[in-house]
Every structure is written in C-alpha cells, then in structure tokens.
C-alpha cells in the first residue's frame, strides 16, 4: 500500500501522457485544458488505492482511475455551462475560454473517451466496469436534475436532499472504489461493500462541504465562505434550520434568504446565527459523523487485513476532519 501523495503523483504522470493531441484541435484542446486544471484527484486515487487493498496492482487500475477522472471533469464542463460559471479552480471555464458550443461538444467527447478507457481490459472486467459506469453516470445526471429542481421548490425535504447529494456526489465516490475492486478481481461481496463504504463517505464529504461553506476558514477553504447562503441554496444546514428552529427562526431564515437589499456580509452573518441558534450546525456535524460511522461499520465485513482496514479508516477520518 502506498500513501495518498504517491498515488496522486503516479496518477498525474499517467494523466499527462493521456493528453489528446489530434484534430480537430477545438474539440480536444478543451479536453486537455480541463483535465490539467488540477484538483484533489480524490476519485482516481480511491480507485488505485482500492485495487491494492484487494491485492491488485495500482498500475492495472490506471485506466479505470483515468475513466473516473475524465467523467468527473466532463460533468464539471456541463455543470459550469448550466451554472454560467466564469471560473473553475481559479481559471476560466471551458465555455468562457472557448464558447458554449465547444463546451457542450468537448464534454460529450469526454464521456465517450471515458468509456473507451475500459477497452484496455479483458472482456469480463470490461463488462463489469461498463455496467457500473453506465449506472453511475445516469445517477449523476439524475442528481444534477434534482439539484436544479430544488432551486425553484420551497418544500424540499431532508430525505430528498440526501438522495440528491448521494446521486450527484456520493455514487461516483462509491463507483471509483468499486472499480478498483473489480480490476483487482475482488469477490462480489467485497465489491458491493467497498461501494457502500465509498457512497457513505461521499455523503459525509458533501455534508462536510455544506458545513465548511458556512463555517470554514476562508484562508484554507479555497472558496468564498458563505457562497451557498448568497446563492440561496437549500443546503442541509438550511433544511435542518427549518426543521429544528422555532417558528420565528424559520420565518427569519426564509425572509433573510430572499432579501436582496441587505449586504452580503450581513446576510451571511444573520443566516449563520440562525444555523447555530437552531442547532442545525451541530446536527450537520453529527450527520457527517453518522455517515462516516456507517462507512466504518462496513469495514468489518471486508475480507482484507486489519492493516488495510486501518488505512481505509484513516482516509475516512481525514475526510471527516478536513477543513478545506
């Protein structure tokens, strides 16, 4: 087993060699651009790490890991178009640097490229990877649609929100880990358990992101603290405030979130006060811990050494305690 930084370095080196240098350049240059913008490379690292957890070779899982990363970045191109976002990781988004049509078409090409990478595996592995990938890709699209639908709804429930973040974020984390297990030819029971482990961690990761968006340190978070509040997003914190807060808390929250006159600073401060006073901030931190605990319970069922279980547990603890 290697450490996370070693997996990252080996994956980035493999990614550099993947650069698509062919015509038409206006189709493939945006692909190379988005893939080299950086990021944590969390998902492909999970694929490589999981392959070794189940006694496989990380190098054998490189194409599966790359497929996960190509798909993730394809989704980012199209998400940025839907959000009309000007920046991604501090740089121009693809549709801003080129144009809208290029963003759509280059994103489409990336989805096909992600599938093509499975062709490097023998038939049974190819079929298992492609079947999982198709299921996951469709769920990610469903999660994105739920997210869009929630923007215009005022009756979103907490179970609906949890389903949305599971589909939009967590299933790809689970799939990344299961792909590593598939390449390593782990048992079906272990494949399914590691998928659920990743899925629970993915939900915890997104809930922690909700929390950090409001209460993170602006010097380490990497994004504007309070961005979700300014965008009137119905996050877990928001929904928990509606559930746990007093009638006065609830009415104040709805009123402030729809107020376009007050300053950004005042809006963020007022909403964060309601998150704290209602108990929503504490409930969100508890939910992060609960989902992480669910993930850790699954480690007991895996047919791997205690040392490897500890590696996975340490990774989960780092996610739960992150501040960025």
């Amino acid at each position: 087993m290697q450490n996370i930084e070693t997996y990252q370095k080996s994956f980035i080196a493999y990614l550099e060699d993947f650069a698509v240098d062919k015509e038409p350049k206006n189709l493939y240059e945006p692909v190379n651009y988005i893939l080299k913008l950086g990021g944590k490379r969390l998902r492909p690292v999970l694929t490589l790490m999981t392959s070794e957890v189940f006694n496989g070779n990380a190098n054998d899982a490189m194409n599966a890991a790359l497929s996960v990363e190509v798909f993730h970045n394809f989704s980012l191109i199209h998400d940025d178009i839907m959000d009309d976002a000007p920046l991604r990781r501090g740089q121009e988004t693809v549709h801003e640097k080129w144009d809208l049509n290029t963003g759509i078409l280059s994103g489409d090409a990336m989805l096909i490229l992600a599938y093509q990478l499975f062709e490097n595996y023998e038939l049974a592995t190819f079929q298992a990877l492609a079947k999982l990938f198709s299921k996951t890709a469709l769920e990610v699209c469903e999660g994105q649609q739920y997210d869009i639908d929630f923007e215009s709804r005022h009756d979103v429930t907490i179970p609906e929100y949890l389903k949305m973040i599971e589909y939009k974020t967590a299933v790809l984390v689970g799939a990344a880990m299961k792909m590593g297990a598939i390449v390593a030819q782990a048992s079906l029971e272990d494949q399914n358990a590691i998928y659920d482990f990743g899925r629970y961690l993915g939900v915890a990761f997104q809930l922690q992101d909700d929390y950090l968006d409001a209460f993170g340190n602006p010097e380490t978070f990497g994004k504007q603290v309070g961005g979700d509040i300014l965008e009137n997003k119905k996050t877990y914190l928001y929904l928990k405030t509606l559930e746990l807060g007093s009638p006065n808390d609830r009415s104040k929250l709805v009123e402030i979130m729809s107020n376009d006159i007050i300053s950004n600073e005042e809006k963020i401060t007022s909403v964060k006060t309601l998150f704290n006073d209602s108990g929503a901030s504490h409930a969100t931190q508890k939910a992060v811990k609960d989902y992480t605990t669910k993930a850790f319970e699954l480690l007991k069922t895996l047919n791997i050494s205690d040392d490897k279980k500890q590696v996975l547990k340490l990774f989960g603890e780092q996610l739960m305690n992150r501040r960025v």
Side-chain angles (χ1 to χ4, degrees), residues 247-280:
N248 187 51
D249 287 339
R250 293 196 291 270
S251 62
K252 280 175 67 176
L253 178 63
V254 173
E255 179 188 341
I256 295 168
M257 290 289 273
S258 60
N259 191 329
D260 296 327
I261 299 173
I262 60 174
S263 68
N264 287 348
E265 184 178 352
E266 184 182 352
K267 184 172 185 175
I268 291 170
T269 301
S270 299
V271 171
K272 285 170 64 174
T273 298
L274 289 169
F275 287 168
N276 279 326
D277 290 349
S278 66

Side-chain angles (χ1 to χ4, degrees), residues 32-39 41 88-89 91-93:
N32 296 332
Y33 172 78
I34 186 74
L35 286 174
K36 293 182 180 179
L37 272 189
R41 314 295 187 187
R88 166 67 62 182
R89 296 168 185 150
Q91 302 294 320
E92 281 184 292
T93 49

Side-chain angles (χ1 to χ4, degrees), residues 18 71 98 141 179 207 264-265 289 299 305:
F18 176 72
F71 173 78
W98 281 271
C141 291
M179 284 184 186
L207 291 174
N264 287 348
E265 184 178 352
K289 188 173 183 179
L299 293 179
S305 68

Side-chain angles (χ1 to χ4, degrees), residues 13-246:
Y14 196 79
L15 178 64
E16 290 289 332
D17 292 337
F18 176 72
V20 186
D21 185 20
K22 58 183 180 180
E23 297 291 340
K25 285 189 175 180
N26 280 338
L27 178 68
Y28 293 110
E29 280 185 355
V31 174
N32 296 332
Y33 172 78
I34 186 74
L35 286 174
K36 293 182 180 179
L37 272 189
K40 301 181 187 73
R41 314 295 187 187
L42 170 70
R43 296 157 191 83
V45 163
L46 287 175
T47 303
L48 301 180
M49 183 171 71
T50 305
S51 69
E52 294 202 332
V53 161
F54 291 109
N55 300 317
N57 187 318
N59 288 332
D60 293 339
M62 277 293 180
N63 284 302
L66 185 54
S67 176
V68 170
E69 185 69 0
V70 171
F71 173 78
H72 174 60
N73 281 274
F74 140 74
S75 71
L76 296 183
I77 290 181
H78 283 190
D79 284 358
D80 287 341
I81 290 171
M82 285 183 270
D83 294 340
D84 196 21
L87 297 176
R88 166 67 62 182
R89 296 168 185 150
Q91 302 294 320
E92 281 184 292
T93 49
V94 168
H95 71 278
E96 286 287 335
K97 188 173 177 65
W98 281 271
D99 56 48
L100 197 62
N101 289 342
T102 299
I104 294 170
L105 198 58
S106 293
D108 291 345
M110 289 179 77
L111 182 58
I112 305 304
L113 289 168
Y115 268 106
Q116 281 189 331
L117 286 160
F118 298 141
E119 295 172 9
N120 294 294
Y121 295 99
E122 56 87 22
L123 183 60
T125 302
F126 168 85
Q127 288 176 329
L129 290 171
K131 183 177 181 180
L132 172 61
F133 185 86
S134 296
K135 172 181 176 289
T136 305
L138 195 57
E139 286 173 340
V140 170
C141 291
E142 290 171 0
Q144 176 69 3
Q145 186 61 56
Y146 283 132
D147 197 20
I148 293 168
D149 292 346
F150 291 173
E151 290 177 8
S152 57
R153 281 182 51 190
H154 300 288
D155 59 346
V156 178
T157 65
I158 288 175
E160 285 179 318
Y161 181 76
L162 290 171
K163 181 178 181 180
M164 183 273 287
I165 62 174
E166 178 184 343
Y167 279 24
K168 188 175 178 182
T169 302
V171 294
L172 189 56
V173 178
M177 300 193 82
K178 187 173 180 178
M179 284 184 186
I182 290 171
V183 173
Q185 299 184 349
S187 70
L188 192 58
E189 290 77 14
D190 280 343
Q191 288 178 27
N192 291 334
I194 202 67
Y195 173 84
D196 285 335
F197 173 82
R199 183 168 59 87
Y200 287 140
L201 279 188
V203 173
F205 181 90
Q206 186 56 53
L207 291 174
Q208 179 76 336
D209 209 58
D210 283 5
Y211 180 82
L212 290 175
D213 188 275
F215 296 102
N217 184 335
E219 293 181 6
T220 58
F221 185 46
K223 295 188 286 187
Q224 176 189 25
V225 171
D228 287 347
I229 294 170
L230 296 180
E231 293 176 27
N232 301 320
K233 288 193 174 180
K234 301 176 182 72
T235 63
Y236 193 82
L237 282 162
Y238 174 91
L239 296 173
K240 269 294 177 183
T241 302
L242 293 182
E243 178 189 300
L244 301 174
S246 65

